[in-house]
Protein backbone atom coordinates (compact mmCIF):
# COMPACT_ATOMS: atom_id res chain seq x y z
CA UNK A 1 0.00 0.00 0.00
CA UNK A 2 1.16 3.54 -0.76
CA UNK A 3 0.24 5.97 2.02
CA UNK A 4 0.79 9.74 2.09
CA UNK A 5 0.54 11.79 5.28
CA UNK A 6 -0.26 15.41 4.49
CA UNK A 7 0.97 17.67 7.29
CA UNK A 8 1.66 21.09 5.73
CA UNK A 9 2.95 23.02 8.76
CA UNK A 10 5.18 22.78 11.81
CA UNK A 11 8.49 21.14 12.72
CA UNK A 12 10.10 18.44 10.58
CA UNK A 13 9.37 14.73 10.73
CA UNK A 14 10.85 13.26 12.87
CA UNK A 15 10.72 16.12 15.38
CA UNK A 16 13.80 17.14 17.34
CA UNK A 17 11.79 18.28 20.37
CA UNK A 18 8.22 17.89 21.58
CA UNK A 19 5.87 17.85 18.58
CA UNK A 20 3.11 15.31 19.06
CA UNK A 21 1.67 15.27 15.53
CA UNK A 22 5.08 14.95 13.87
CA UNK A 23 6.07 12.23 16.33
CA UNK A 24 2.89 10.32 15.56
CA UNK A 25 3.53 10.45 11.82
CA UNK A 26 7.13 9.37 12.31
CA UNK A 27 6.04 6.40 14.41
CA UNK A 28 3.42 5.34 11.86
CA UNK A 29 5.91 5.66 9.02
CA UNK A 30 8.42 3.41 10.77
CA UNK A 31 5.86 0.69 11.46
CA UNK A 32 4.24 0.89 8.03
CA UNK A 33 7.59 0.72 6.24
CA UNK A 34 8.61 -2.18 8.47
CA UNK A 35 5.48 -3.97 7.23
CA UNK A 36 6.41 -3.33 3.60
CA UNK A 37 4.26 -0.31 2.80
CA UNK A 38 5.52 2.81 1.01
CA UNK A 39 5.06 6.05 2.93
CA UNK A 40 5.56 9.71 2.07
CA UNK A 41 5.17 12.77 4.31
CA UNK A 42 3.89 15.46 1.96
CA UNK A 43 3.02 19.12 2.03
CA UNK A 44 6.05 20.66 3.74
CA UNK A 45 6.37 23.39 1.11
CA UNK A 46 6.81 27.15 1.34
CA UNK A 47 5.03 30.00 -0.38
CA UNK A 48 1.74 31.90 -0.44
CA UNK A 49 -1.48 30.02 0.27
CA UNK A 50 -2.83 29.27 -3.23
CA UNK A 51 0.52 28.37 -4.86
CA UNK A 52 1.36 26.26 -1.80
CA UNK A 53 -1.91 24.36 -2.11
CA UNK A 54 -1.26 23.69 -5.79
CA UNK A 55 2.22 22.38 -4.98
CA UNK A 56 0.78 20.12 -2.28
CA UNK A 57 -1.83 18.65 -4.62
CA UNK A 58 0.80 18.03 -7.30
CA UNK A 59 3.17 16.46 -4.79
CA UNK A 60 0.54 14.09 -3.41
CA UNK A 61 -0.89 13.15 -6.80
CA UNK A 62 2.56 12.44 -8.20
CA UNK A 63 3.05 9.88 -5.42
CA UNK A 64 -0.05 8.01 -6.64
CA UNK A 65 -1.09 7.05 -3.13
CA UNK A 66 -3.70 4.47 -2.29
CA UNK A 67 -4.49 6.37 0.90
CA UNK A 68 -3.92 10.03 1.82
CA UNK A 69 -4.20 10.98 5.49
CA UNK A 70 -4.58 14.76 5.95
CA UNK A 71 -3.47 15.87 9.41
CA UNK A 72 -4.24 19.60 9.24
CA UNK A 73 -7.88 20.81 9.12
CA UNK A 74 -6.92 23.87 7.09
CA UNK A 75 -6.24 21.50 4.20
CA UNK A 76 -9.22 19.17 4.48
CA UNK A 77 -10.75 20.86 1.42
CA UNK A 78 -7.86 19.60 -0.71
CA UNK A 79 -9.36 16.11 -0.53
CA UNK A 80 -11.53 16.83 -3.58
CA UNK A 81 -8.43 17.34 -5.74
CA UNK A 82 -6.50 14.29 -4.65
CA UNK A 83 -6.27 11.28 -6.95
CA UNK A 84 -6.18 8.35 -4.54
CA UNK A 85 -8.26 5.43 -3.37
CA UNK A 86 -9.30 6.91 -0.01
CA UNK A 87 -8.82 9.97 2.21
CA UNK A 88 -8.53 10.02 6.00
CA UNK A 89 -8.91 13.30 7.92
CA UNK A 90 -7.66 13.96 11.47
CA UNK A 91 -7.91 17.22 13.39
CA UNK A 92 -5.33 17.31 16.18
CA UNK A 93 -6.48 20.63 17.65
CA UNK A 94 -6.99 20.28 21.43
CA UNK A 95 -10.34 22.03 21.09
CA UNK A 96 -11.67 19.27 18.78
CA UNK A 97 -12.59 17.44 22.01
CA UNK A 98 -15.06 20.23 22.91
CA UNK A 99 -18.67 20.34 21.71
CA UNK A 100 -18.24 24.09 21.10
CA UNK A 101 -15.41 23.61 18.58
CA UNK A 102 -16.55 25.44 15.42
CA UNK A 103 -14.66 23.33 12.86
CA UNK A 104 -16.19 19.87 13.27
CA UNK A 105 -18.19 20.33 10.08
CA UNK A 106 -15.00 21.07 8.15
CA UNK A 107 -14.29 17.33 8.13
CA UNK A 108 -17.63 16.42 6.54
CA UNK A 109 -16.13 15.86 3.10
CA UNK A 110 -17.57 13.60 0.45
CA UNK A 111 -15.80 10.21 0.27
CA UNK A 112 -13.53 11.06 3.22
CA UNK A 113 -13.29 9.19 6.52
CA UNK A 114 -12.71 10.96 9.84
CA UNK A 115 -10.15 9.44 12.21
CA UNK A 116 -10.93 10.56 15.77
CA UNK A 117 -8.49 10.31 18.65
CA UNK A 118 -11.24 9.39 21.13
CA UNK A 119 -14.87 8.30 21.32
CA UNK A 120 -15.71 11.69 22.79
CA UNK A 121 -14.39 13.42 19.66
CA UNK A 122 -16.28 10.95 17.47
CA UNK A 123 -19.54 11.85 19.25
CA UNK A 124 -19.00 15.51 18.40
CA UNK A 125 -18.51 14.66 14.72
CA UNK A 126 -21.66 12.55 14.69
CA UNK A 127 -23.57 15.45 16.26
CA UNK A 128 -22.20 17.69 13.49
CA UNK A 129 -23.65 15.37 10.84
CA UNK A 130 -20.95 12.78 10.13
CA UNK A 131 -22.21 9.38 9.00
CA UNK A 132 -21.46 6.73 11.66
CA UNK A 133 -19.68 4.57 9.08
CA UNK A 134 -17.31 7.40 8.21
CA UNK A 135 -16.20 8.41 11.71
CA UNK A 136 -13.72 6.05 13.39
CA UNK A 137 -11.81 6.09 16.67
CA UNK A 138 -8.09 5.33 16.68
CA UNK A 139 -6.03 6.65 19.64
CA UNK A 140 -2.51 7.97 19.55
CA UNK A 141 0.27 5.42 19.95
CA UNK A 142 3.97 5.33 20.64
CA UNK A 143 6.99 3.09 20.15
CA UNK A 144 7.32 1.84 23.70
CA UNK A 145 10.79 0.39 23.17
CA UNK A 146 12.17 3.86 22.35
CA UNK A 147 11.73 5.00 25.95
CA UNK A 148 14.27 4.19 28.62
CA UNK A 149 12.77 2.44 31.62
CA UNK A 150 14.09 2.16 35.16
CA UNK A 151 12.45 0.83 38.30
CA UNK A 152 14.72 3.06 40.42
CA UNK A 153 14.26 6.67 39.23
CA UNK A 154 16.78 9.33 40.23
CA UNK A 155 14.02 11.78 41.18
CA UNK A 156 11.66 9.47 43.05
CA UNK A 157 10.43 12.37 45.20
CA UNK A 158 9.59 14.55 42.19
CA UNK A 159 7.00 14.81 39.44
CA UNK A 160 7.32 16.53 36.07
CA UNK A 161 4.88 18.72 34.14
CA UNK A 162 6.05 18.22 30.55
CA UNK A 163 4.17 20.37 28.03
CA UNK A 164 4.33 23.62 26.12
CA UNK A 165 4.02 26.37 28.71
CA UNK A 166 0.82 28.29 28.01
CA UNK A 167 -2.54 29.22 29.51
CA UNK A 168 -4.32 26.13 28.16
CA UNK A 169 -1.84 23.81 29.85
CA UNK A 170 -2.30 25.82 33.10
CA UNK A 171 1.20 25.48 34.56
CA UNK A 172 0.73 28.93 36.13
CA UNK A 173 -1.76 27.47 38.60
CA UNK A 174 0.69 24.95 40.03
CA UNK A 175 4.04 26.71 40.20
CA UNK A 176 5.55 26.24 43.63
CA UNK A 177 3.84 22.96 44.50
CA UNK A 178 6.46 20.88 46.35
CA UNK A 179 8.28 18.30 44.25
CA UNK A 180 6.98 19.56 40.89
CA UNK A 181 9.32 20.40 38.00
CA UNK A 182 8.30 21.93 34.66
CA UNK A 183 9.72 21.36 31.17
CA UNK A 184 8.64 22.38 27.68
CA UNK A 185 8.83 25.23 25.18
CA UNK A 186 7.90 28.58 26.66
CA UNK A 187 4.84 30.23 25.12
CA UNK A 188 3.66 32.09 28.22
CA UNK A 189 5.88 32.49 31.28
CA UNK A 190 3.37 34.22 33.57
CA UNK A 191 3.43 32.58 36.98
CA UNK A 192 6.19 30.08 36.13
CA UNK A 193 9.12 31.35 38.16
CA UNK A 194 10.77 28.28 39.64
CA UNK A 195 11.69 24.66 38.91
CA UNK A 196 11.56 25.31 35.16
CA UNK A 197 14.00 23.03 33.31
CA UNK A 198 13.66 24.59 29.86
CA UNK A 199 12.58 22.88 26.66
CA UNK A 200 13.51 19.21 26.47
CA UNK A 201 14.84 17.66 23.28
CA UNK A 202 13.37 14.45 21.92
CA UNK A 203 16.46 12.64 23.23
CA UNK A 204 15.85 14.01 26.72
CA UNK A 205 12.19 12.99 26.65
CA UNK A 206 13.05 9.44 25.63
CA UNK A 207 15.98 9.05 28.05
CA UNK A 208 15.26 11.23 31.11
CA UNK A 209 11.50 11.03 31.61
CA UNK A 210 11.89 7.70 33.42
CA UNK A 211 13.94 9.42 36.14
CA UNK A 212 10.72 10.92 37.56
CA UNK A 213 8.03 9.28 39.68
CA UNK A 214 5.01 10.77 37.91
CA UNK A 215 3.77 13.10 35.21
CA UNK A 216 1.35 15.95 35.82
CA UNK A 217 -0.86 17.31 33.00
CA UNK A 218 -3.82 19.43 34.06
CA UNK A 219 -4.82 21.05 30.76
CA UNK A 220 -8.11 22.74 29.91
CA UNK A 221 -8.46 20.67 26.73
CA UNK A 222 -6.67 17.80 24.99
CA UNK A 223 -7.29 15.59 21.98
CA UNK A 224 -5.25 12.64 23.21
CA UNK A 225 -2.04 13.69 24.93
CA UNK A 226 1.01 11.79 23.64
CA UNK A 227 3.01 12.83 26.68
CA UNK A 228 0.83 10.67 28.94
CA UNK A 229 1.70 7.63 26.86
CA UNK A 230 5.39 8.55 26.88
CA UNK A 231 5.35 8.94 30.64
CA UNK A 232 3.75 5.54 31.16
CA UNK A 233 6.30 3.97 28.82
CA UNK A 234 8.90 5.28 31.27
CA UNK A 235 6.99 3.83 34.24
CA UNK A 236 5.53 7.09 35.55
CA UNK A 237 2.19 7.49 37.25
CA UNK A 238 -0.24 10.10 35.90
CA UNK A 239 -2.03 13.02 37.50
CA UNK A 240 -4.30 14.49 34.84
CA UNK A 241 -7.28 16.77 34.39
CA UNK A 242 -10.56 15.44 33.06
CA UNK A 243 -9.48 16.60 29.60
CA UNK A 244 -6.14 14.82 29.97
CA UNK A 245 -7.77 11.50 30.93
CA UNK A 246 -8.79 10.70 27.35
CA UNK A 247 -8.52 6.97 26.52
CA UNK A 248 -7.09 6.20 29.97
CA UNK A 249 -8.51 3.73 32.49
CA UNK A 250 -9.02 6.06 35.44
CA UNK A 251 -9.82 3.11 37.72
CA UNK A 252 -6.15 2.09 37.73
CA UNK A 253 -4.31 3.05 40.94
CA UNK A 254 -1.48 4.83 39.12
CA UNK A 255 -3.83 7.20 37.25
CA UNK A 256 -5.40 10.06 39.21
CA UNK A 257 -7.89 12.44 37.62
CA UNK A 258 -8.33 15.86 39.21
CA UNK A 259 -11.95 16.99 38.85
CA UNK A 260 -12.41 20.31 37.09
CA UNK A 261 -13.99 21.90 40.15
CA UNK A 262 -10.83 21.04 42.14
CA UNK A 263 -8.25 22.33 39.65
CA UNK A 264 -7.70 25.62 41.48
CA UNK A 265 -7.48 23.95 44.90
CA UNK A 266 -3.68 23.86 45.18
CA UNK A 267 -3.71 21.95 48.47
CA UNK A 268 -5.88 19.23 46.94
CA UNK A 269 -3.78 19.02 43.77
CA UNK A 270 -0.55 18.81 45.79
CA UNK A 271 -1.98 15.98 47.89
CA UNK A 272 -3.08 14.04 44.79
CA UNK A 273 0.38 14.43 43.23
CA UNK A 274 2.12 13.23 46.39
CA UNK A 275 -0.22 10.24 46.70
CA UNK A 276 0.23 9.31 43.06
CA UNK A 277 4.03 9.39 43.38
CA UNK A 278 3.93 7.03 46.34
CA UNK A 279 1.60 4.60 44.58
CA UNK A 280 3.27 4.67 41.18
CA UNK A 281 6.79 4.05 42.51
CA UNK A 282 5.80 0.50 43.41
CA UNK A 283 4.04 -0.17 40.08
CA UNK A 284 6.47 0.98 37.44
CA UNK A 285 6.65 -2.33 35.59
CA UNK A 286 2.84 -2.62 35.54
CA UNK A 287 2.57 0.96 34.24
CA UNK A 288 4.92 0.30 31.33
CA UNK A 289 3.11 -2.95 30.53
CA UNK A 290 -0.22 -1.07 30.45
CA UNK A 291 1.23 1.45 27.99
CA UNK A 292 2.62 -1.28 25.74
CA UNK A 293 -0.55 -3.36 25.78
CA UNK A 294 -2.92 -0.49 25.03
CA UNK A 295 -0.96 2.16 23.13
CA UNK A 296 2.00 0.58 21.35
CA UNK A 297 1.88 1.97 17.82
CA UNK A 298 2.72 -1.35 16.17
CA UNK A 299 -0.45 -2.89 17.57
CA UNK A 300 -2.54 0.15 16.68
CA UNK A 301 -1.28 0.17 13.09
CA UNK A 302 -1.67 -3.57 12.58
CA UNK A 303 -4.96 -4.09 14.42
CA UNK A 304 -6.81 -0.83 13.75
CA UNK A 305 -5.29 1.47 11.13
CA UNK A 306 -4.43 -0.99 8.37
CA UNK A 307 -7.63 -3.07 8.70
CA UNK A 308 -9.67 0.12 8.42
CA UNK A 309 -7.62 1.28 5.42
CA UNK A 310 -8.12 -2.05 3.64
CA UNK A 311 -11.85 -2.01 4.36
CA UNK A 312 -12.25 1.56 3.14
CA UNK A 313 -10.24 0.93 -0.01
CA UNK A 314 -12.34 -2.15 -0.69
CA UNK A 315 -15.65 -0.41 -0.04
CA UNK A 316 -14.99 2.86 -1.83
Amino acid sequence: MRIAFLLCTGPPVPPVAYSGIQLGIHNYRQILERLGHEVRVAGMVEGASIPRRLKIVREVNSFRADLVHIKNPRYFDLSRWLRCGAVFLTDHSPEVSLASYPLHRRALRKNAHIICLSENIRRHYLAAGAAPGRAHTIPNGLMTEKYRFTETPKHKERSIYLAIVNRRKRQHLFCGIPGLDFAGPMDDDRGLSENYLGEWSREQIENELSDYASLVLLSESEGHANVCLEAMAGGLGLVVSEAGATNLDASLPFIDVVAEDKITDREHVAAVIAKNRATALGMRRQIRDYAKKNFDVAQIVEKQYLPLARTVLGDD
Side-chain angles (χ1 to χ4, degrees):
M1 194 182 304
R2 297 165 67 88
I3 301 172
F5 291 98
L6 204 163
L7 182 57
C8 306
T9 57
V13 176
V16 295
Y18 200 87
S19 303
I21 303 172
Q22 287 79 1
L23 177 63
I25 291 175
H26 180 56
N27 289 342
Y28 264 62
R29 179 168 62 185
Q30 291 180 88
I31 299 301
L32 288 166
E33 289 179 344
R34 187 184 301 171
L35 294 172
H37 302 281
E38 189 174 348
V39 179
R40 175 173 296 183
V41 180
M44 304 299 286
V45 297
E46 302 295 333
S49 178
I50 294 177
R52 182 168 65 247
R53 287 168 179 262
L54 290 172
K55 290 178 184 177
I56 291 169
V57 170
R58 292 193 192 103
E59 179 185 6
V60 174
N61 287 342
S62 68
F63 181 57
R64 302 177 67 181
D66 299 297
L67 169 67
V68 178
H69 193 157
I70 304 177
K71 292 277 196 169
N72 187 323
R74 289 193 300 163
Y75 294 88
F76 284 177
D77 61 339
L78 295 184
S79 60
R80 73 183 77 176
W81 309 110
L82 301 177
R83 296 193 296 270
C84 58
V87 174
F88 285 175
L89 308 174
T90 300
D91 189 338
H92 288 270
S93 304
E95 292 80 10
V96 74
S97 62
L98 304 176
S100 58
Y101 185 59
L103 303 182
H104 286 124
R105 294 187 61 83
R106 182 175 286 186
L108 307 184
R109 300 285 169 180
K110 185 178 179 181
N111 297 325
H113 288 254
I114 307 167
I115 306 301
C116 310
L117 298 179
S118 71
E119 276 298 315
N120 177 54
I121 294 171
R122 183 174 183 269
R123 285 193 291 270
H124 295 324
Y125 277 116
L126 295 180
R134 290 187 174 271
H136 317 274
T137 301
I138 300 179
N140 279 330
L142 79 166
M143 300 184 75
T144 315
E145 69 272 14
K146 289 277 189 180
Y147 294 83
R148 171 177 158 266
F149 172 78
T150 177
E151 295 195 59
T152 55
K154 294 179 183 177
H155 312 304
K156 63 181 181 180
E157 299 297 328
R158 303 196 70 80
S159 302
I160 187 165
Y161 204 124
L162 178 61
I164 184 172
V165 181
N166 61 25
R167 305 302 281 184
R168 178 176 64 84
K169 297 290 188 178
R170 301 197 286 207
Q171 289 96 333
H172 62 286
L173 297 178
F174 313 108
C175 185
I177 284 181
L180 184 57
D181 291 338
F182 300 86
M186 183 69 72
D187 189 49
D188 186 341
D189 63 355
R190 285 176 289 180
L192 191 60
S193 58
E194 57 183 276
N195 297 332
Y196 174 58
L197 307 177
E199 180 176 359
W200 275 18
S201 67
R202 174 114 311 270
E203 183 179 2
Q204 283 180 289
I205 293 168
E206 293 175 357
N207 293 314
E208 298 182 28
L209 196 50
S210 191
D211 286 326
Y212 281 85
S214 67
L215 174 94
V216 178
L217 184 70
L218 299 170
S219 313
E220 289 181 355
S221 59
E222 292 287 348
H224 181 205
N226 265 312
V227 70
C228 291
L229 314 184
E230 295 180 302
M232 290 190 297
L236 282 70
L238 301 179
V239 177
V240 295
S241 61
E242 293 176 6
T246 300
N247 297 327
L248 299 175
D249 182 354
S251 69
L252 293 169
F254 53 82
I255 298 175
D256 284 291
V257 181
V258 178
E260 196 60 28
D261 62 1
K262 291 285 189 179
I263 285 290
T264 57
D265 185 340
R266 286 172 55 88
E267 185 175 337
H268 172 76
V269 171
V272 172
I273 294 172
K275 178 182 77 70
N276 183 271
R277 272 199 300 264
T279 301
L281 280 171
M283 304 185 69
R284 289 176 73 86
R285 179 62 63 181
Q286 295 97 309
I287 295 171
R288 184 177 175 92
D289 288 346
Y290 171 74
K292 185 171 182 62
K293 179 180 178 181
N294 292 278
F295 301 108
D296 193 84
V297 71
Q299 296 188 62
I300 290 173
V301 169
E302 294 185 53
K303 295 181 180 180
Q304 297 183 64
Y305 193 82
L306 282 174
L308 176 61
R310 293 186 183 108
T311 299
V312 168
L313 287 167
D315 289 348
D316 289 354

